[in-house]
Amino acid sequence: MSKVILSAKSRENKGSGEARRIRKAGRIPGVLYGRKGVAISLDLDATDFAHQVKTISESTIVKVEIDGKSYDAFVKDTQRNILDGNILHVDFYEVESGVLLKARVSLQLRGNPIGVRQGGVLENPLHDIEVECMPADLPERIIVDVSELAVNQALFVRDLPIAKSIRIISNVDQMVAQIKLAREEAPAPTAAAEGEEQAAEGETEAKD
């Protein structure tokens, strides 16, 4: 489980005016949605969160400390200002310890494939999969070693190195990566060929 810890303060006041006040103070308004339907309005330090979010993936479980109480949660959504990229609002979703959860885990390719060194092209059509497991067993990402892939070979979801404690929900027959031969570009027409083509077009026009 992730060691990312975010300190936050609960807040009672809501609305756009309160949100502007919080942002002006160098903080970010947010909401923690509990698994039992209870939502906690909060605010976080903007600088700290902007730094921490760089290490957070969709399947990273962070620890949110609110007024001395700790919650394990996903960062479900971050709203940003389209002009400057600053974070405007954060939504968290609480993870309950000891209860199975479903999440999407990113796939990260690693290695220099044999097939690429032979002139092939690496294709990566699938970037994440859905799994079910206990919170403590959820990986932040799955490393896929493609170094042994040769031309015309492929890896599928069923080939991924998944722990027995994790159940794959995605279709196991989906392709994760493959090596294809690079397409050869058609040679550029020579001047003589272009002249013959133009002459043929002229004859056609004369017949019309």
Side-chain angles (χ1 to χ4, degrees):
M1 188 177 293
S2 171
K3 295 182 180 180
V4 174
I5 300 175
L6 299 170
S7 297
K9 298 187 298 184
S10 62
R11 57 187 175 91
E12 296 182 0
N13 298 328
K14 302 177 182 179
S16 57
E18 176 66 8
R20 285 194 295 270
R21 185 192 67 78
I22 291 172
R23 296 184 191 108
K24 189 174 181 179
R27 301 183 67 80
I28 304 171
V31 177
L32 171 69
Y33 294 97
R35 291 180 62 89
K36 298 180 181 179
V38 178
I40 303 175
S41 296
L42 52 83
D43 67 72
L44 312 121
D45 181 86
T47 302
D48 178 53
F49 183 78
H51 174 72
Q52 298 270 30
V53 77
K54 296 177 182 178
T55 64
I56 296 173
S57 69
E58 187 176 349
S59 57
T60 301
I61 298 178
V62 302
K63 192 173 293 293
V64 185
E65 296 181 344
I66 307 174
D67 299 337
K69 190 173 181 179
S70 182
Y71 301 84
D72 290 329
F74 290 124
V75 177
K76 295 302 292 183
D77 185 46
T78 55
Q79 299 175 20
R80 293 179 179 269
N81 186 313
I82 60 174
L83 298 179
D84 56 24
N86 288 334
I87 300 171
L88 301 177
H89 192 276
V90 184
D91 287 340
F92 297 94
Y93 183 77
E94 183 185 7
V95 173
E96 189 173 352
S97 179
V99 177
L100 284 171
L101 61 82
K102 294 179 181 179
R104 301 203 69 84
V105 181
S106 63
L107 305 175
Q108 182 177 328
L109 304 189
R110 182 170 294 175
N112 183 16
I114 294 173
V116 171
R117 299 198 298 271
Q118 295 172 337
V121 176
L122 173 63
E123 295 187 352
N124 176 207
L126 189 66
H127 301 284
D128 59 55
I129 61 171
E130 186 176 12
V131 302
E132 181 182 58
C133 63
M134 290 294 181
D137 297 325
L138 182 66
E140 292 189 30
R141 60 187 58 83
I142 297 171
I143 304 300
V144 185
D145 185 2
V146 296
S147 57
E148 297 300 316
L149 270 185
V151 173
N152 295 326
Q153 288 187 339
L155 287 175
F156 298 86
V157 172
R158 61 176 175 269
D159 301 318
L160 295 176
I162 303 294
K164 293 182 179 180
S165 58
I166 300 173
R167 184 173 75 89
I168 298 175
I169 297 176
S170 297
N171 185 345
V172 296
D173 293 325
Q174 292 183 91
M175 183 182 294
V176 175
Q178 67 175 336
I179 305 293
K180 281 189 172 182
L181 281 175
R183 292 183 179 179
E184 294 184 1
E185 296 183 1
T190 62
E194 290 180 349
E196 292 175 0
E197 185 178 346
Q198 291 174 359
E201 290 178 354
E203 291 179 3
T204 302
E205 291 175 358
K207 291 179 181 179
D208 293 343

